[in-house]
C-alpha cells in the first residue's frame, strides 16, 4: 500500500487551523466598548466601575506600560440565537504564544462581583447556556497593560522594567470585543482531533496504532463539509470515537495531572501586579472547578492566598468554598516559593512556620507536600525542615534545567544534612506549565527513569510564571487520555493522592544524599547585592529583636511585639521569593525591595532599642555602659544572649611598621600581616601555629574583574568560560595607615574601590571593609584568597550546618559546581590547621586548587543588563575577614561575629542570658516567645560541627515544664529537666526546638 501519511497529517493541520477551529464561534456581533484609563497605580474596584467611559473601537491603541484601563462592553443577544450557547470573546490584543507575560484582565459584573480572568489562552466569558435571546450583556474589565519584557528576542536590555523610564506609549491594540455563538460540538471535534493528532505524531510509523488513528482522522476529515463545519461536526466525530475508545495497555504509565498556575510572586512585574494575577487566576480556576467535576487545582504560597483575602475578598470566598470541597488544594506549606540557597536558618524554618500556620488557621488543612517546582537549587537542610514542619513529601521540577548532568532519578528518597529523608518526586514531564499535549505526555513516559520499578508520575498542568492556570482544553485532553491506547493514562487528582500511591508502589526508591544543586542560574547568588544585603541584615535584626524582646518580657515585663514581629517576618519571607532574593526581577521590584528593607530595619532597630533599654535599666548618671551580645557564643567575657559591663581588651596592642619594599606590617601578637606596596596581602602569618596562611608568591584580598556575558539568562547565569579572561586589580591610587587600619584606594574602568584592612586587638582575624562605587556593565568582581592549604574539599555554611564541596573537578558533577552558595563562611583545612573566610553579606563563591594551594574567592558584584539594565550601579559596602587557624567551630563563631556586632547601651547591671547552652558546638538560632501568646519561651538550636554532642540547656528563669516541639511550636514529647537544666543529646546537624514554660518568681 502506498503511504499517504504525510499528506493526511498535513491535511489535518491545515483543516483544523483554517476551518474547524474558527468554526467554534460561527456567528458573532460586535460589542459596544468604552474605556477609562486609571491615573497612576490601580484604583479600587468601585472607583474603576464608576468612572466615565470614552468610546473605543477595535483596532485602537490602548495601555501605557504598567497602566490600568477599565473597559465596559455592552450588547444584546440576538433573538435568533435563542437556545444556543453564547460567550463574550474579549481579545485585548493578546499574543497567544506568550501567556502570562503581557496584558491581562479581570472581568466583573455590574454589581462588582468578579467573573473570571482574561489572558491570551482564556479569552471567553460565558453569557448563557442556553440563551433565551434578547438578554442585555454588560461586563467590565480591569485590564493591566503590563509590557512584554521577555520577547521573541529574549534578554535584550530594556527600560520597561522601571515605571520611571518605561514611557507612556500604548503597548497594545484592541483586537476583538464580540458576542459569539459557541458551538460545543465543533469545540469537542477540535479536542478530538488535537488529542489524536498529537498522539499519532508521537507513535512510531511502524506501529499499527499510528495508522489506525491516521485512518480515523482521514475519515473524520472526509466527513467535514468545510462550508458547513457546524452542521457536519457531529458526523465527523463518529469515526474518531472508536479510536478514542481503544483502551490503554495494562502497563501504561500513569500521570496524575494537578491543575496548577505557577505564579511568580514578583519577576517581570512588581508585587502589586502579582496580587491581581492571583485574583485573575483563582477566579478562573474556581469557575473551571464549577464546570468540571473531575478537575482538581493546587495552589502554593500562603502569601498569595493572603493577598486575595485582603484585596479580593469576593474571589477569596469562592476559593474557601472550593477548598472546603477538597478540589482547590493548598500545597507547599511555605509562605512563598522561596529561594532555598540563601535564606538563613531561621528564615527558611519560618517559611514553613508561617505558611503552614496560615493553611491551618484559614482552612484547617495540614499541608503535607512541599511544592517548589521553580527554585534555583535546593539546600541540603530542607529534608529535616520538611519533616519537622509536619510535611511528608517534596516536589521540584527545576533540576531538569541543569546544563551538564541529567539527574538520575524521578522518584527517590532525599537525605539531608542530618540524615533525615523525605520522599521526593521530580516530574519527568519536565515542565511545571504542562498542557498535557501529546508531545509532553510521550516525553514523560520516555523520560521516566524508574521504569520497571515504578509506573506513575505527576504533571503540574496549567499556564504559569505569569499565571493563568488550567484551561478547559487541558481538562478535555485529560478526559480523552484517561484510558487511551498508545498513551499514558492521565487523570486529575490531588497531589497527596499521587504521593500516597507512589510511596506505596516504590517505597524502596533510591536515595540521593546532600543538596540538589542546580547546574544553572549560579549567578543568582550575586546579582542585586542590595537585595541580598537587605535580606541578611533583616534576618539578623529579627534574631536580635526576638531575643532581646523575649528576654525583656520575661525579666522586665516588656510588651512582646507579637503582631509587629509576625508582620515583619512575613515581609522578609516574601522578599525571599525565588526571583526577588536571587536578583532576577525587574528594576521596579529591587528598588521597592531596597525601600522595604530600610523600613524593616528601622522598625526592628526601634524594637531592639526599646527592649535593651528595658533590660539595661536606663542611665545611672555615671556613664557606665553595658555590652549586649546577641551572638550564640560568648564574646570577650560577655555571655551569649546576655550583657556585661564594658571591659578593656586584654590582647596585645596592634603595631604597624613600614614593610621593606613598600606597604605595612601589622602585628597583634597572634597574627603578623604583610601588606605590600600595591595594597595586597602577601602574608598572614599565624604566630600561634607558626605557619603562613597565604600561598607562596601569591597575594590575598586580590580583587579580580572578569567579563560576564552568559549565553542567556543574564541576571541568572554565569557560564564557566568567564574564567578564561581576568584582570587583576593591582594598581593602587592611595595606600596609607589611618585610624588603626591600612587604607587602600583603587580605580578601574568607571569605578572606584576603597578598602580598610584592620587587625583587631587580641584576635586571629584580618578584617577587610570594602566600599565599591560600581559603574561597570557585564563585569564580575571577585575577591581572591589563595591559601597555603592542600585540601580536596571545603566546608560552606548552609542552614543549620555546613556541607562539603570538592575543590577538584574529577567528575562532571564536581566541575559543574564552579559557583556555589555559602552563608557566613567558607572554611578549608588540612588536619590540624585550617582557615576560614567569613562575610556579612555575600553568598556566591568559587574555589580552585593547584597541588598545594586552595584559592577561595568571594563573589562581590555583577552588572547584567537584563531584566534590570542598571543592575547594582552605585555604591556598595562589603565586610569580610580572613581567619587563620580556624577549625569549623571557629568559622561558625566568626561568621556570627561579623553579622551580629555587639551593642553598647547605657547601664551597669549585667543581664544574664534567658537561656544558655554548655557546649559551643550547639548553636542557638532563636530565642522568642511562643507564637500562640501563651508566654512560653521557644528555643531553637542545632549541632553545628557535624558531630554528636551531649550538652545541657539552662533556663535563666524558673522552669515549670519543657517539651520538644515541631517547627510550629506544637509539642512532640516531654523534655526531662532538673530544675532549670535540660540535658540534650544531638546527632550531627540535628535541629531541636524546645518550648519552655516558666513561673512567676
Amino acid at each position: 500500500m502506498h503511504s499517504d501519511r504525510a499528506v493526511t497529517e498535513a491535511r489535518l493541520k491545515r483543516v483544523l487551523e483554517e476551518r474547524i477551529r474558527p468554526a467554534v464561534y460561527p456567528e458573532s456581533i460586535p460589542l459596544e466598548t468604552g474605556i477609562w484609563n486609571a491615573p497612576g497605580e490601580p484604583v479600587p474596584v468601585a472607583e474603576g466601575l464608576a468612572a466615565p467611559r470614552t468610546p473605543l473601537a477595535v483596532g485602537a491603541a490602548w495601555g501605557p506600560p504598567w497602566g490600568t484601563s477599565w473597559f465596559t462592553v455592552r450588547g444584546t443577544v440576538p433573538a435568533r440565537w435563542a437556545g444556543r450557547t453564547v460567550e463574550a470573546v474579549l481579545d485585548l490584543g493578546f499574543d497567544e504564544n506568550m501567556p502570562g507575560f503581557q496584558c491581562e484582565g479581570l472581568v466583573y459584573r455590574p454589581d462588582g462581583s468578579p467573573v473570571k480572568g482574561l489572558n491570551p489562552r482564556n479569552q471567553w466569558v460565558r453569557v448563557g447556556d442556553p440563551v433565551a435571546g434578547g438578554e442585555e450583556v454588560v461586563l467590565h474589565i480591569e485590564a493591566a497593560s503590563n509590557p512584554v519584557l521577555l520577547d521573541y528576542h529574549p534578554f535584550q536590555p530594556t527600560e520597561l522594567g522601571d515605571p520611571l523610564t518605561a514611557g507612556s506609549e500604548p503597548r497594545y491594540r484592541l483586537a476583538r470585543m464580540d458576542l459569539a455563538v459557541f458551538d460545543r460540538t465543533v469545540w469537542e471535534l477540535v479536542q478530538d482531533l488535537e488529542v489524536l493528532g498529537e498522539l499519532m505524531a508521537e507513535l512510531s510509523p511502524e506501529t499499527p496504532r499510528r495508522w489506525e488513528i491516521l485512518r480515523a482522522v482521514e475519515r473524520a476529515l472526509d466527513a467535514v463539509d468545510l462550508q458547513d463545519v457546524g452542521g457536519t461536526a457531529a458526523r465527523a466525530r463518529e469515526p474518531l470515537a472508536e479510536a478514542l475508545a481503544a483502551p490503554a495497555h495494562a502497563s501504561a504509565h500513569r500521570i496524575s495531572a494537578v491543575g496548577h498556575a505557577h505564579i511568580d510572586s514578583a519577576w517581570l512585574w512588581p508585587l502589586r501586579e502579582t496580587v491581581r494575577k492571583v485574583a485573575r487566576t483563582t477566579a478562573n480556576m474556581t469557575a473551571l472547578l464549577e464546570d468540571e467535576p473531575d478537575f482538581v487545582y493546587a495552589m502554593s504560597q500562603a502569601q498569595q492566598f493572603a493577598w486575595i483575602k485582603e484585596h479580593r475578598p469576593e474571589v477569596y470566598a469562592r476559593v474557601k468554598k472550593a477548598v472546603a470541597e477538597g478540589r482547590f488544594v493548598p500545597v507547599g506549606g511555605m509562605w512563598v516559593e522561596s529561594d532555598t540557597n540563601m535564606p538563613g536558618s531561621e528564615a527558611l524554618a519560618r517559611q514553613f512556620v508561617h505558611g503552614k500556620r496560615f493553611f491551618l488557621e484559614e482552612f484547617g488543612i495540614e499541608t503535607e507536600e512541599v511544592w517548589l517546582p521553580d527554585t534555583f537549587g535546593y539546600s541540603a537542610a530542607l529534608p529535616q525542615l520538611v519533616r519537622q514542619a509536619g510535611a511528608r513529601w517534596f516536589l521540584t521540577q527545576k533540576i531538569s534545567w541543569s546544563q551538564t548532568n541529567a539527574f538520575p532519578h524521578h522518584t527517590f528518597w532525599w537525605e539531608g544534612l542530618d540524615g533525615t529523608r523525605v520522599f521526593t518526586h521530580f516530574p519527568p514531564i519536565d515542565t511545571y506549565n504542562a498542557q498535557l499535549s501529546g508531545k509532553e505526555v510521550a516525553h514523560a513516559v520516555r523520560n521516566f527513569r524508574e521504569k520497571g520499578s515504578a509506573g506513575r508520575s505527576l504533571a503540574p498542568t496549567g499556564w504559569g510564571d505569569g499565571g493563568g492556570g488550567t484551561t478547559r482544553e487541558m481538562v478535555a485532553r485529560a478526559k480523552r487520555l484517561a484510558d487511551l491506547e498508545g498513551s499514558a493514562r492521565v487523570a486529575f487528582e490531588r497531589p497527596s493522592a499521587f504521593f500516597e500511591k507512589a510511596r506505596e508502589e516504590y517505597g524502596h526508591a533510591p536515595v540521593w544524599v546532600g543538596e540538589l544543586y542546580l547546574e544553572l542560574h549560579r549567578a543568582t547568588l550575586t546579582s542585586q547585592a542590595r537585595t541580598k544585603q537587605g535580606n541578611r541584615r533583616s534576618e539578623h535584626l529579627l534574631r536580635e529583636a526576638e531575643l532581646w524582646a523575649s528576654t525583656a518580657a520575661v525579666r522586665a515585663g516588656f510588651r512582646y511585639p507579637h503582631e509587629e514581629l509576625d508582620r515583619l517576618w512575613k515581609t522578609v519571607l516574601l522578599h525571599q521569593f525565588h526571583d526577588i532574593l536571587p536578583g532576577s526581577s525587574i528594576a521596579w521590584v529591587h528598588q521597592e525591595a531596597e525601600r522595604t528593607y530600610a523600613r524593616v530595619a528601622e522598625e526592628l532597630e526601634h524594637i531592639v532599642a526599646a527592649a535593651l533599654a528595658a533590660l539595661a535599666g536606663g542611665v545611672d548618671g555615671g556613664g557606665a555602659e553595658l555590652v549586649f551580645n546577641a551572638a550564640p557564643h560568648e564574646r570577650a567575657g560577655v555571655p551569649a544572649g546576655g550583657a556585661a559591663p564594658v571591659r578593656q581588651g586584654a590582647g596585645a596592642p596592634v603595631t604597624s611598621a613600614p614593610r621593606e619594599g613598600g606597604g605595612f606590617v601589622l602585628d597583634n601578637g597572634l597574627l603578623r600581616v604583610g601588606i605590600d606596596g600595591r595594597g595586597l596581602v602577601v602574608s598572614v602569618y599565624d604566630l600561634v601555629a607558626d605557619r603562613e596562611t597565604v600561598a607562596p608568591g601569591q597575594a590575598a584580598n586580590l580583587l579580580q574583574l572578569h567579563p560576564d556575558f552568559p549565553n542567556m539568562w543574564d541576571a541568572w547565569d554565569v557560564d564557566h568560560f568567564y574564567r578564561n579572561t581576568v584582570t587583576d586589580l593591582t594598581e593602587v591610587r592611595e595606600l596609607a595607615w589611618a585610624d588603626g587600619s591600612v587604607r587602600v584606594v583603587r580605580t578601574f574602568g568607571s569605578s572606584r574601590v576603597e578598602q580598610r584592612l584592620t587587625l583587631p586587638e587580641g584576635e586571629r582575624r584580618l578584617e577587610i571593609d570594602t566600599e565599591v562605587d560600581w559603574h561597570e556593565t557585564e563585569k564580575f568582581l571577585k575577591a581572591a584568597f589563595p591559601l597555603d592549604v592542600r585540601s580536596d574539599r571545603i566546608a560552606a555554611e548552609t542552614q543549620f550546618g555546613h556541607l562539603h564541596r570538592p575543590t577538584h573537578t574529577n567528575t562532571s558533577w564536581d566541575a559543574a559546581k564552579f559557583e556555589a552558595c555559602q552563608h557566613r563562611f567558607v572554611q578549608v583545612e588540612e588536619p590540624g590547621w585550617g582557615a576560614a573566610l567569613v562575610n556579612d553579606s555575600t553568598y556566591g563563591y568559587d574555589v580552585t586548587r593547584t597541588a598545594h594551594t586552595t584559592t577561595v574567592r568571594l563573589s562581590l558584584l555583577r552588572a547584567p543588563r537584563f531584566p534590570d539594565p542598571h543592575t547594582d550601579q552605585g555604591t556598595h559596602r562589603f565586610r569580610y575577614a580572613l581567619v587563620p587557624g580556624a577549625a569549623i567551630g571557629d568559622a561558625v563563631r566568626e561568621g556570627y561575629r561579623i553579622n551580629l556586632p555587639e551593642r553598647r547601651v547605657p547601664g551597669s547591671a549585667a543581664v544574664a542570658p534567658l537561656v544558655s547552652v554548655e557546649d559551643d558546638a550547639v548553636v542557638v538560632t532563636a530565642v522568642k516567645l511562643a507564637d500562640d501568646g501563651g508566654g512560653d519561651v521557644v528555643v531553637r538550636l542545632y549541632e553545628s560541627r557535624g558531630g554528636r554532642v551531649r550538652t545541657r540547656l539552662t533556663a535563666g528563669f524558673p522552669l515549670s515544664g519543657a517539651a520538644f516541639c515541631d517547627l510550629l511550636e506544637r509539642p512532640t514529647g516531654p523534655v526531662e529537666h532538673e530544675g532549670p537544666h535540660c540535658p540534650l543529646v544531638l546527632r550531627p546537624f540535628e535541629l531541636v526546638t524546645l518550648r519552655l514554660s516558666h513561673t512567676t518568681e
Side-chain angles (χ1 to χ4, degrees), residues 664-697:
F664 301 90
V665 176
L666 310 182
D667 194 318
N668 69 354
L670 300 174
L671 297 178
R672 186 170 61 243
V673 177
I675 300 168
D676 71 7
R678 302 169 298 172
L680 300 177
V681 177
V682 292
S683 174
V684 180
Y685 199 85
D686 184 344
L687 297 169
V688 177
D690 192 24
R691 67 170 288 170
E692 177 60 61
T693 306
V694 180

Side-chain angles (χ1 to χ4, degrees), residues 5 92 384 672 715 903:
R5 178 173 59 82
L92 301 175
Q384 183 173 203
R672 186 170 61 243
R903 293 176 180 268

Side-chain angles (χ1 to χ4, degrees), residues 488-500:
R489 289 187 171 92
V490 178
F492 277 98
E493 63 180 344
R494 296 166 61 93
S496 59
F498 161 77
F499 275 109
E500 291 284 3

Side-chain angles (χ1 to χ4, degrees), residues 306-383:
W307 274 335
I308 52 174
K309 179 182 180 181
E310 177 183 357
H311 297 283
R312 292 291 191 273
E314 306 89 346
V315 177
Y316 191 64
R318 289 161 55 175
V319 168
K320 288 203 75 168
K321 178 177 180 293
V323 170
E325 294 168 352
R327 297 175 56 219
F328 193 116
V329 185
V331 292
M334 298 175 74
W335 190 247
V336 295
E337 288 184 13
S338 77
D339 180 83
T340 73
N341 286 315
M342 291 176 283
S345 300
E346 270 305 303
L348 197 54
R350 303 299 174 94
Q351 287 284 354
F352 291 99
V353 169
H354 288 284
K356 292 204 58 145
R357 185 171 289 140
F358 181 91
F359 293 138
L360 281 165
E361 292 177 352
E362 289 292 314
F363 309 120
I365 289 176
E366 178 88 40
T367 52
E368 293 190 312
E369 313 87 3
V370 176
W371 187 275
L372 284 173
D374 189 32
T375 300
F376 310 150
Y378 303 89
S379 163
L382 271 171

Side-chain angles (χ1 to χ4, degrees), residues 29 151 189 233 253 334 358 368 378 382 393 408 453 511 572 620 692 695 712 828 836 843 959:
I29 61 171
D151 214 331
L189 175 61
H253 186 76
M334 298 175 74
F358 181 91
E368 293 190 312
Y378 303 89
L382 271 171
W393 325 113
S453 297
V511 178
V572 173
D620 63 1
E692 177 60 61
M712 55 173 45
V828 59
Y843 294 94
L959 188 62

